[in-house]
Amino acid sequence: MAIDEKQAAKRIEQLRHEIRRHDRLYYDEAAPIISDREYDRLYKELIDLETQFPDLVRPDSPTQRVGGKPLQAFEQVSHLIPMLSLDNTYSEDEVKNFYARIRRLLPNEKIAVVIEPKVDGVAVSLIYQSGKLRQAATRGDGNVGDNITQNIRTIRSVPERLRDMAPKLLEVRGEVYMDRQGFEKLNEERKKQGLPLFANPRNAAAGSLKQLDPKIVAKRPLGVVFYGTGAIEGVDVDLHSEVFSLLKKLGLPVTERWWVAKSVEEILDAIHELDGIRHKFAYQTDGAVLKVDAFEQRERLGFTAKSPRWAIAYKYEAERVETRLLNIVIQVGRTGILTPVAVLEPVLVSGSTVGRATLHNEDEIKRKDIRIGDTVVIEKAGEVIPAVVAVVKSKRPRDAKPFDFSEHLHGKCPVCGERVRRDPQFVAWRCENIQCPAQTTRRVEFFAARGALDIESVGGIVADKLVERGLVREPLDLFELKSEQLAKLNLGTQDAPRVFGEKNAKKAIQAIKRARTLPLSRWLFALAIPDVGKTTATQLARFHDNIDEVAHSQLLRDVLDYHEKREHKQDAKEIAERLIKAGFAKQSKSKAEKKHGIVTEVGPAVAQSVLDFFASAIGRKILQRLKQLGITPKSERASVKKAAELPLAGKTFVLTGVLPSMTREEATQKIEALGGRVSSSVSKKTDYVLAGAQPGSKFDKAKQLGIRIFDEAEFRKMLAR
Ligand code: IVH
């Protein structure tokens, strides 16, 4: 039956209204009144109508939760109020100290404290204007985050509109998480497809929110819990404990349990009670957050350099469980290091099943006297790989077998059979054959991992099989793979084959192609140069145009030279000047340094390591290969401006008092990055004083001298200009 646009518009509105109502019943109230099938029918009717009348599609339609168009990159947005972090405590004594401290700061007052779960997810801020979701952002550096509105819209428990009497402006803050079941299912699917697995639900949630394509995000089982507000207008709340009911009333998901305590004893009771039930929550928790309930008291308590004085996080101890050690196997890592791994009787720890745990190295096995057959205690803390922490000696069976690492090895790598060596300086054994398939696999995996070249389709199993089938002997071989070869790749066994498939192969080849022009810093990181982590890779990329330049870097040679010659003042001075002029070094502020003392962007050990790597046979081969393959990473060289051209050049700042949202180090960095100088005392030469709460005598002196004084807000404005 044909339907005209006017009728369609009316029906579409009805359907959206209905669907929103059922979403609410399902997600907030856990009390659905229709079956999934009926829900799907409503949903499908809406999709059909919107397909027929695309002009009637609105961004807030429930159908848009499945995701709009992919973005090129996330837009950066400033938070209305900085997103701070919390101080962590690990013992009950520290909790007592916290309460004693706030009692001291607010003498003779009753202080109520709210205790709530510390959700182990990804921090987000959502802005609702007059009840409509306008923006969602990640925490980022606390001041500026990624605009992830499209992605947040795909989470079905996030209301697009708030229920009744929505305030004019409401910023809510909380954590996005992936529930355990969803996490395990996702990893299972990824395993089947040969994709790298997520280490834990938090990483999975973070990885999902980082997707530029909201359609992918829509398929991930994400949820959110809100724990507080940021900027608000048009509502009056005096107590944090009232915020929970307010948010709930507006249709925003909040934690199911929180406590209000009025004494240390009550606080500790709440912490214990939470510990007893937190594993039943859908989201992972790693602690309790304690917050002063009354906003008025919070205001008087204020902030330290980086966190509020009115709140603290108490971290629970990592969960430990006992299980049996069935066997010990040896794993070969990316750099050839041999790690003993415990094969365990699978057990549930902190919500996921653990079947393997690291034993670190030979000495650890001896020190803890770990034997095969033993009952062991394993621990999993946050992202850390589970580890065997102790043996339960009382449960040792008679036939428990000691494990002699060296004897087990017989001097040979368990994977390639080549010689292994134990460097007397290090505790680890190492396979010295850089063509060892295990090493190659790990290197390929590392090369393709997130943060490196981000070739999503090439994870553990795929890397494994590529090396096993001889298609890849070193990471750069990936660039010569043909789509047909990949499509045919058998990820299963001969008896139970499971091919990679054409679609996956195409995707992989595209990602590999894209990797050719990724920024230089990613390439430097991906090459796994010893001592070069992400930070160093970024620093190097700022000062060099391409890999060749890094390989023969005059700057790095100067760093080495400088450290060698620092005793010979004249020579060292010349090099120091050259490095400073290039922007690769700064005058050292420490008085202990000689007059020409400098601090270089990277230290001599790193400089040596980088130059050595590229001078080695492997390094030279990599350079040659990159040239042959025509790979040209994108240059990120900052136009290192001459200091004198920078906007704050020649200006001297003095800092005093506590700034609301940045530490002094951060403020100093910001000033120096723009060419300014920070001095420790006020004099006639001081241009500006940046003052925070409780400024010291410098403030008075600046006033006397008529020096311009400003606060953090004005400072931020100045930086923005
Ligand atoms: S309150 C200034 N409450 O923990 C107070 N934070 O270090 C700011 N978090 O990244 C946060 N659960 O995202 C607060 N119930 C809770 C929380 C919580 C998790 C996260 C938060 C932040 C970190 C604080």
Side-chain angles (χ1 to χ4, degrees):
M1 188 183 60
I3 158 169
D4 68 25
E5 179 148 342
K6 210 166 138 207
Q7 287 168 316
K10 200 168 151 210
R11 180 64 186 150
I12 284 176
E13 258 328 298
Q14 276 173 350
L15 286 166
R16 286 180 186 157
H17 183 78
E18 276 286 283
I19 291 170
R20 280 189 200 116
R21 184 163 79 99
H22 293 303
D23 276 346
R24 206 161 59 224
L25 287 166
Y26 186 91
Y27 288 103
D28 312 342
E29 289 163 30
I33 53 167
I34 57 170
S35 68
D36 286 358
R37 184 179 296 199
E38 273 172 283
Y39 179 91
D40 291 343
R41 200 182 48 72
L42 293 175
Y43 199 86
K44 181 160 184 301
E45 187 183 343
L46 179 57
I47 292 220
D48 289 346
L49 282 174
E50 287 183 350
T51 319
Q52 215 178 327
F53 299 95
D55 287 349
L56 297 177
V57 176
R58 297 284 173 273
D60 65 353
S61 171
T63 58
Q64 299 308 299
R65 288 189 186 285
V66 293
K69 287 203 193 75
L71 298 171
Q72 292 296 321
F74 292 114
E75 179 204 351
Q76 300 292 297
V77 287
S78 294
H79 296 302
L80 299 172
I81 299 174
M83 289 179 82
L84 300 186
S85 57
L86 295 168
D87 271 342
N88 286 327
T89 57
Y90 299 87
S91 70
E92 297 192 351
D93 278 346
E94 287 178 284
V95 169
K96 289 181 194 158
N97 290 343
F98 164 74
Y99 197 63
R101 190 162 61 242
I102 54 177
R103 297 269 319 249
R104 214 172 34 246
L105 290 166
L106 304 176
N108 306 323
E109 287 183 39
K110 289 211 169 79
I111 309 176
V113 171
V114 172
I115 294 92
E116 61 190 64
K118 182 162 185 347
V119 181
D120 195 14
V122 183
V124 290
S125 143
L126 270 63
I127 294 176
Y128 284 92
Q129 276 169 346
S130 305
K132 279 187 142 186
L133 176 63
R134 292 290 183 209
Q135 180 184 297
T138 59
R139 176 173 187 274
D141 65 2
N143 293 313
V144 177
D146 289 341
N147 183 342
I148 52 161
T149 317
Q150 284 221 66
N151 288 351
I152 290 293
R153 281 217 159 96
T154 68
I155 302 176
R156 289 180 64 183
S157 57
V158 171
E160 185 55 44
R161 288 156 194 244
L162 298 179
R163 236 182 289 161
D164 56 54
M165 49 156 282
K168 190 163 162 235
L169 169 71
L170 175 72
E171 181 193 357
V172 281
R173 292 178 174 180
E175 300 267 313
V176 168
Y177 65 89
M178 187 176 288
D179 67 42
R180 292 200 186 101
Q181 272 179 352
F183 164 73
E184 265 154 39
K185 217 172 107 205
L186 175 67
N187 257 355
E188 236 156 69
E189 276 164 25
R190 290 175 72 87
K191 198 167 173 185
K192 273 192 209 139
Q193 291 168 19
L195 297 176
L197 303 188
F198 288 111
N200 54 42
R202 179 163 49 92
N203 284 4
S208 302
L209 288 184
K210 276 198 204 113
Q211 294 291 331
L212 291 168
D213 185 353
K215 289 210 169 57
I216 299 178
V217 190
K219 290 189 196 137
R220 303 271 170 94
L222 298 175
V224 64
V225 209
F226 294 105
Y227 55 67
T229 53
I232 57 175
E233 261 174 60
V235 246
D236 256 341
V237 268
D238 300 323
L239 300 174
H240 178 60
S241 48
E242 289 168 359
V243 169
F244 291 117
S245 37
L246 171 73
L247 298 186
K248 218 166 152 185
K249 206 168 72 199
L250 295 171
L252 293 159
V254 292
T255 173
E256 44 262 81
R257 282 299 304 270
W258 70 89
W259 293 257
V260 181
K262 297 199 171 77
S263 66
V264 174
E265 293 72 36
E266 285 178 19
I267 293 176
L268 292 177
D269 283 349
I271 288 179
H272 297 153
E273 195 178 336
L274 173 59
D275 196 19
I277 58 172
R278 66 195 180 98
H279 293 293
K280 295 192 196 113
F281 298 159
Y283 38 86
Q284 303 230 300
T285 53
D286 58 351
V289 180
L290 281 55
K291 299 173 179 170
V292 169
D293 196 18
F295 291 136
E296 181 273 329
Q297 284 180 328
R298 286 189 184 184
E299 216 163 285
R300 280 183 289 137
L301 287 167
F303 300 85
T304 65
K306 66 178 214 309
S307 44
R309 279 203 196 88
W310 44 262
I312 204 159
Y314 170 81
K315 297 279 209 119
Y316 292 112
E317 267 181 39
E319 198 188 344
R320 293 179 166 196
V321 295
E322 286 181 13
T323 185
R324 243 167 56 88
L325 193 154
L326 305 175
N327 196 6
I328 295 177
V329 294
I330 294 172
Q331 224 168 45
V332 187
R334 169 162 52 87
T335 52
I337 289 185
L338 306 182
T339 310
V341 175
V343 180
L344 307 166
E345 208 164 78
V347 269
L348 203 68
V349 199
S350 313
S352 58
T353 310
V354 170
R356 283 173 163 238
T358 178
L359 293 168
H360 300 294
N361 54 51
E362 180 180 14
D363 290 354
E364 279 280 301
I365 300 180
K366 280 201 192 125
R367 203 168 55 79
K368 294 184 181 145
D369 184 21
I370 296 169
R371 302 184 188 181
I372 296 171
D374 266 339
T375 294
V376 292
V377 179
I378 62 168
E379 175 182 288
K380 208 175 83 181
E383 335 192 28
V384 187
I385 316 164
V388 171
V389 289
V391 172
V392 188
K393 293 258 169 72
S394 59
K395 294 191 182 165
R396 171 166 286 168
R398 280 232 181 105
D399 57 350
K401 269 207 313 252
F403 182 83
D404 190 319
F405 199 93
S406 342
E407 199 173 296
H408 189 86
L409 283 174
H410 279 304
K412 287 195 194 120
C413 167
V415 176
C416 69
E418 295 284 318
R419 202 168 76 112
V420 292
R421 223 164 63 90
R422 184 175 158 144
D423 194 323
Q425 274 174 29
F426 297 103
V427 281
W429 285 85
R430 190 176 225 139
C431 162
E432 293 189 315
N433 168 21
I434 64 152
Q435 273 154 17
C436 169
Q439 285 187 47
T440 312
T441 307
R442 299 282 92 79
R443 274 204 303 274
V444 172
E445 232 180 308
F446 179 82
F447 188 74
R450 243 172 288 140
L453 297 187
D454 216 353
I455 307 174
E456 211 197 337
S457 339
V458 180
I461 299 179
V462 177
D464 225 24
K465 297 293 173 189
L466 285 171
V467 175
E468 196 181 302
R469 304 284 138 81
L471 291 170
V472 166
R473 277 193 206 85
E474 52 177 290
L476 286 174
D477 287 345
L478 287 176
F479 291 90
E480 282 177 319
L481 282 176
K482 302 268 173 310
S483 191
E484 307 81 68
Q485 287 175 308
L486 260 174
K488 280 188 291 192
L489 185 70
N490 180 5
L491 302 179
T493 58
Q494 232 164 10
D495 299 335
R498 189 165 57 80
V499 293
F500 193 56
E502 257 167 58
K503 212 170 117 203
N504 284 332
K506 264 220 191 90
K507 244 174 59 189
I509 295 286
Q510 248 168 22
I512 293 172
K513 192 166 153 211
R514 194 182 64 107
R516 288 176 162 265
T517 50
L518 281 180
L520 180 60
S521 56
R522 300 267 220 114
W523 271 90
L524 290 172
F525 177 62
L527 291 178
I529 306 165
D531 299 321
V532 177
K534 270 193 196 147
T535 314
T536 306
T538 309
Q539 279 163 327
L540 290 172
R542 278 178 51 219
F543 291 91
H544 301 86
D545 266 323
N546 51 52
I547 297 185
D548 246 354
E549 243 184 56
V550 177
H552 307 107
S553 168
Q554 185 58 46
L555 289 171
L556 295 180
R557 274 187 273 167
D558 275 351
V559 169
L560 289 179
D561 259 11
Y562 169 76
H563 282 271
E564 238 165 62
K565 296 189 181 142
R566 50 195 305 175
E567 299 311 317
H568 308 279
K569 283 201 180 136
Q570 200 42 45
D571 290 357
K573 193 168 162 230
E574 244 167 58
I575 307 171
E577 272 164 9
R578 207 156 58 221
L579 284 167
I580 290 178
K581 201 163 152 219
F584 205 61
K586 274 196 308 237
Q587 206 75 51
S588 160
K589 276 198 234 60
S590 115
K591 296 215 173 85
E593 294 275 348
K594 307 259 159 43
K595 232 180 158 184
H596 58 263
I598 55 166
V599 185
T600 49
E601 285 281 310
V602 304
V606 173
Q608 186 75 61
S609 183
V610 173
L611 294 174
D612 282 355
F613 177 81
F614 286 111
S616 72
I618 310 176
R620 285 204 311 267
K621 193 161 159 217
I622 288 177
L623 292 175
Q624 197 192 3
R625 201 69 203 285
L626 287 170
K627 215 168 275 159
Q628 275 170 3
L629 292 165
I631 290 174
T632 46
K634 198 168 85 208
S635 166
E636 294 161 282
R637 188 171 198 140
S639 43
V640 186
K641 283 197 185 168
K642 290 206 192 76
E645 289 167 16
L646 290 169
L648 295 182
K651 300 288 179 213
T652 303
F653 288 72
V654 172
L655 310 179
T656 176
V658 179
L659 300 174
S661 77
M662 55 172 107
T663 61
R664 286 193 186 202
E665 288 71 41
E666 281 165 346
T668 305
Q669 262 174 18
K670 290 194 162 118
I671 292 168
E672 287 178 349
L674 294 174
R677 218 171 65 80
V678 176
S679 154
S680 57
S681 59
V682 176
S683 73
K684 272 188 224 141
K685 289 193 200 132
T686 310
D687 293 290
Y688 304 104
V689 169
L690 172 55
Q694 298 155 5
S697 61
K698 294 176 203 165
F699 185 85
D700 303 327
K701 183 146 182 215
K703 255 188 166 166
Q704 266 174 23
L705 292 173
I707 291 166
R708 170 114 195 263
I709 303 176
F710 52 62
D711 63 10
E712 185 184 316
E714 287 171 281
F715 176 59
R716 282 190 186 282
K717 272 189 213 139
M718 175 178 202
L719 294 179
R721 277 203 305 274

